[in-house]
Amino acid sequence: MSHHAFGFYQGLPLSDPASLQLITVPDEQPQPYDLLVQVAGFSINPVDTKRRQNAPATTTPQIVGYDSVGTVLARGAEVLDFAIGDRVLYAGTTRRAGSYQEQQLIDSRLVAKAPSALSDADAAALPLVSLTAWELLFEKMGFVPEADANVGKTLLVINGAGGVGSLLTQLANWAGLTVIATASPVNHDWLIAHGVALALDYHSDLEAALAENNIRQVNGVAILFAPAPYFQLACQLIAPFGHIATIVTPDRPLPVALLKDKAASFDLEYMFTKSDFSWEITSQGKILTRIAELAATRKITASVTRHYDTRSLANLRDATARSEAGHQVGKIVLTGPFES
């Protein structure tokens, strides 16, 4: 038995027809902790492009996609928390085939049940960005993951309107933080709608803009863009024992010695670390369960800005091109029938 997928055999630019192809892959049986999921939808993330473009040539197909919603078709012998027919959501792992396919095997410990209140599009948009935002805020930066638990503390977010930023600002606001975020002025209304108290133009002199608003110290700085241009300012602003964190690999050495006198920390967040190194992977299923509850009760929203209702190669290529163009606000999602 086999099923269809969108994949590739080597890293190529999107303009090359072989960069994403319709392929047929053999069905596999779940391992002891696995779920076999009938995929109903997935979203597009920058990591999809990074992994595709940097992929070595192989003789077996490579499949990316790190957000998914679907229905459990089968489960491994050690799975106790899920039943056949359960609707689930997850981000997955880079060590196995991703969600650009009709069926997917996924470790159940990375999975949460999808509330009926969430559409397929919203459920597919949540996992990767929400896990990244949650881990950065609450595991790396040390804020308390409870409603209004951090009142009186301030967070500065660089690049607040993207996929991760849109979830990060909402979670921070839910947790009681006063959120300041940067984006293009055209996206300032979006920031305010997603929990931001003060929106700043990223083109402006941020130090001057913050001073004009009487912001001279913050408890955390989340840099969701190349950190080097913002690092020195972040070091000036950070409070003693505060945290500066990024999800982007620095492209040059950073002057971390500037943090010494404040005993402040610089943190790197990578959502796949847990699954790549089998480190506390059950925590991701638990985090996603809390995220799903917050979304189902409208404490946070999934921030879908473009939704394709058919999973076709043409739609995937169009969605990927939009993502690769940069300046994406919110999330791009594909759901519906898988067109072979």
Side-chain angles (χ1 to χ4, degrees):
M1 299 290 289
S2 61
H3 62 274
H4 291 104
F6 301 125
F8 52 89
Y9 292 87
Q10 66 180 103
L12 295 167
L14 189 62
S15 57
D16 192 311
S19 61
L20 284 169
Q21 310 170 46
L22 177 67
I23 58 177
T24 300
V25 292
D27 293 344
E28 297 180 82
Q29 293 302 308
Q31 297 300 306
Y33 287 99
D34 282 350
L35 298 175
L36 177 63
V37 176
Q38 182 74 38
V39 177
F42 55 78
S43 77
I44 307 299
N45 292 290
V47 68
D48 303 351
T49 288
K50 291 176 184 176
R51 291 188 61 80
R52 191 197 80 241
Q53 290 179 338
N54 295 324
T58 56
T59 56
T60 56
Q62 303 176 61
I63 302 167
V64 297
Y66 305 105
D67 273 320
S68 186
V69 61
T71 303
V72 176
L73 295 175
R75 62 181 187 172
E78 299 294 329
V79 177
L80 302 176
D81 298 333
F82 298 93
I84 294 171
D86 280 350
R87 185 165 169 264
V88 295
L89 72 160
Y90 52 88
T93 171
T94 61
R95 301 298 175 93
R96 304 176 78 174
S99 55
Y100 288 10
Q101 53 182 325
E102 291 181 289
Q103 298 179 9
Q104 182 181 3
L105 284 175
I106 182 73
D107 190 310
S108 62
R109 295 167 291 185
L110 301 172
V111 175
K113 293 179 182 177
S116 59
L118 290 181
S119 67
D120 281 348
D122 284 350
L126 280 170
L128 185 147
V129 291
S130 64
L131 283 168
T132 300
W134 186 284
E135 290 180 1
L136 186 148
L137 270 177
F138 303 127
E139 295 184 345
K140 289 294 188 175
M141 303 184 84
F143 296 115
V144 179
E146 300 293 342
D148 300 322
N150 304 274
V151 172
K153 295 183 177 180
T154 302
L155 175 72
L156 171 63
V157 182
I158 304 298
N159 188 25
V164 173
S166 298
L167 261 295
L168 183 77
T169 57
Q170 291 182 84
L171 286 172
N173 179 63
W174 163 75
L177 288 153
T178 298
V179 184
I180 304 162
T182 69
S184 172
V186 71
N187 294 324
H188 282 188
D189 287 346
W190 175 272
L191 293 182
I192 300 302
H194 287 75
V196 173
L198 175 63
L200 299 177
D201 182 357
Y202 79 94
H203 297 100
S204 68
D205 181 334
L206 291 182
E207 184 175 5
L210 289 163
E212 287 172 9
N213 286 279
N214 202 32
I215 307 294
R216 292 178 173 81
Q217 180 173 277
V218 296
N219 302 96
V221 182
I223 306 176
L224 310 181
F225 197 74
Y230 302 96
F231 193 78
Q232 187 160 345
L233 175 60
C235 291
Q236 294 171 19
L237 292 169
I238 199 67
F241 292 91
H243 289 260
I244 301 169
T246 188
I247 62 172
V248 179
T249 303
D251 61 359
R252 69 195 81 164
L254 301 176
V256 294
L258 295 174
L259 297 171
K260 171 71 166 52
D261 289 349
K262 293 181 179 178
S265 299
F266 176 57
D267 300 297
L268 294 163
E269 161 58 19
Y270 182 53
M271 192 279 297
F272 295 112
T273 295
K274 291 177 180 178
S275 59
D276 282 355
F277 293 94
S278 297
W279 190 87
E280 295 189 2
I281 60 174
T282 57
S283 69
Q284 291 203 328
K286 293 175 181 177
I287 292 168
L288 278 179
T289 296
R290 294 196 68 185
I291 291 291
E293 291 170 353
L294 290 172
T297 55
R298 308 302 292 175
K299 302 291 194 307
I300 61 173
T301 61
S303 304
V304 176
T305 52
R306 184 168 294 273
H307 177 208
Y308 300 79
D309 60 8
T310 303
R311 288 175 294 156
S312 66
L313 185 58
N315 284 346
L316 176 58
R317 283 186 161 278
D318 186 71
T320 302
R322 292 177 183 276
S323 176
E324 291 183 4
H327 304 289
Q328 174 62 33
V329 175
K331 292 299 296 287
I332 304 172
V333 178
L334 287 78
T335 67
F338 194 103
E339 286 193 354
S340 58

